Every structure is written in structure tokens, then in C-alpha cells.
Amino acid sequence: MATPRILSGIKPTGQLHIGNYFGMMRPAIDWQERGEAYYFIADYHALTSVHDPQAIREYSRGVALDFLACGLDPAKAVLFRQSDVPQVTELTWILSCVAPMPMLENCHAYKDHLARKQEEPALHGLFAYPVLMAADILLYDSNIVPVGRDQKQHVEVTRDLAEKMNRIFGKILIVPEASIRAEVETIPGLDGRKMSKSYGNTAPLFDEEKSLKKKIMGIVTDSTPVEAPKDPASSSIVQLYRLFASPAEVAVMEEQFRGGGVGYGDFKKRLFGAIWDYFAPMRTRRAELESDGGYVNRVLREGAERAGAVAEKTMARVRSAVGLR
Ligand code: TRP
């Protein structure tokens, strides 16, 4: 593979958190050095759960700022808003026409919804979500898709749809691969379950100091007393600390866990300090970018133009292959 095309997206449904950062943003930012990177704000996807126009706009702008503050470089990667390239909805329809219902019925977001037996019926947008995501990936001829573990199934669906299209219409689509970082497969949340917005157990990247401290101090622990030895391997404090501290600092904490005599409160304070320091340069950068009112809009406008040009080429090929032009 000469220069790989890398693509990923993130949904603007609220404040981004450290699970988003290590699962998707950090890997995506690393990839911008190694290929042609396209990253987008998945606002069409956000509409499946957010029905508040003001919130969609604010979250979208927030995601762009967060991404840029964390190191996405618009000179290296194309950053755009999904809805600025509406051809993706056209490709979604075409893919829908070869997408087997059972494959979509097996996708976890829809299955989870049914399992929770809520009164609200599942929305078609939620059901069709994986097809839109496949269209995102295939529209840009992507080779590699850096995502968190939870998105693996969606990339599998994308591969199946691309292969099926290619069997029926000739080789018109690139079959992509997911890239998932083993070391950050699951980031524990404040309650010990996987960190996820839907569990309400997240630590936001750009929170107020007091608010973040309160969240970290609220991490759920067992009731082992201060004096007693504690198990570092099963502790989400240690797991999180590993993401922010040096190996030597982690070794010290593990030693103190095993030795007893230090309480969870102390460990949590140390974890908070490490998180706060880690994001300090990004916080400064974010404030700078935010004070330049037009910057984000300029980046997104240019991103939309570059992404749109690629999308139009793919669509010309697809339309002609399926018999629409
Ligand atoms: N579904 C992804 C998430 O919730 C976001 C997303 C939408 C995406 N389209 C994509 C990720 C295409 C990678 C590629 O995290």
C-alpha cells in the first residue's frame, strides 16, 4: 500500500471524554503522519439521538475545537463536518439496497435498544446507523479506520457491504480495515464499567478543574481499609493512571497498593493530578483557538471542499456502476 487513506469520525453528542481520546482521537492524530487522513464530525449520526438544533451545532463546534486542541493538524489531515458532504446520504441509500436486514438486526446498538425493552420504539435511523457509517468509510476510499473496540462490528459490516457491492457491480469500492489499539481496548469509567456516555460514567477531556476533581474522587472502589493491602491489577484507578503517568510512577503506585497504608483517596488525588497535567497544554491551545472566532469555521470550510472533491469522484463511479447515470 503506497499512501494509505485513513478515515474516522466522532459523534457530536456531548463533551468528549478520555475514553474518546485514547480510543479514537489519539490514534487518529498519530495516523495523520503516516497517510492521507480524513476525520469528520458525525453530525448526521448524532441526529439519531440528539433532537436539539442548538445542541448539535454547539457539540459539533466543540468536537472540532477538542480535536484541533489535541493535535489534529489541518495541514496534514482533512477535518470536516459529515453533513457538509451530503453525498454520503446518497451512498447510504445505494448500500441499503444491498444490505441484508438480518445483518443490521444483529448490530449491537439496535440489539441493545431491544434488550433494554424501552417504551420508545427503535428509530429507523438507529437501525440504519451502520449503513450510514459504511457509506462514510466507503465514500472516501478508506484503507484504514482507527476506532475504539466498540466500533469493530460496524467496520465488519462495512467490509461485507463493500464486498457485496463489488461482487454485484464490479470492483468499485475499497474494502477497509479497522485499526484498534490493543493497549487501550477498554478504558474504565468512574463506576468501573467501560467508559461510555451512555453509562454516564465519563471523565471529560476539558472539564472545569473542580468538576473533574469531584468526578475522579468519586471513582467507585471497594471498602478495603487504608492500612490493608489492595489489589492493583483489579483497580480502575491504576488502569487509568497507567494512561497518564510514567512507568516508574505507575510502579510506585502499584507498590503502595500492595503494601497497604495508603487509602484510595490519596491514589485518586494523584490520578487527578496526572490527568490535569497531561491535558494542560491542550487546554491552553483550546483557549487560544476558541478566541480566534473564525478559525474553526475556516478549517471546516476548507475540509468540506477537500472531502467533497473525493466524495464526488467516488459517487460518479458508483452511480455509473449501478445504472443511475
Ligand atoms: N459510530 C462512530 C462512533 O460512535 C462514529 C462514526 C461515524 C465513525 N461514522 C464513522 C467512526 C466512520 C469511524 C468511521 O464512535
Side-chain angles (χ1 to χ4, degrees), residues 111-170:
K111 274 204 341 212
D112 287 356
H113 184 97
L114 297 188
R116 274 185 268 123
K117 295 206 183 354
Q118 282 161 330
E119 290 200 0
E120 286 275 307
L123 300 175
H124 180 256
L126 176 79
F127 182 71
Y129 186 110
V131 187
L132 175 58
M133 179 155 160
D136 288 324
I137 297 171
L138 300 174
L139 186 60
Y140 298 98
D141 286 339
S142 316
N143 303 113
I144 294 164
V145 187
V147 280
R149 179 70 265 258
D150 61 323
Q151 298 299 315
K152 188 168 186 236
Q153 185 185 42
H154 292 151
V155 181
E156 294 298 324
V157 166
T158 305
R159 291 170 57 88
D160 284 356
L161 291 177
E163 280 162 2
K164 188 162 180 195
M165 288 289 288
N166 288 347
R167 270 199 308 279
I168 302 174
F169 299 109

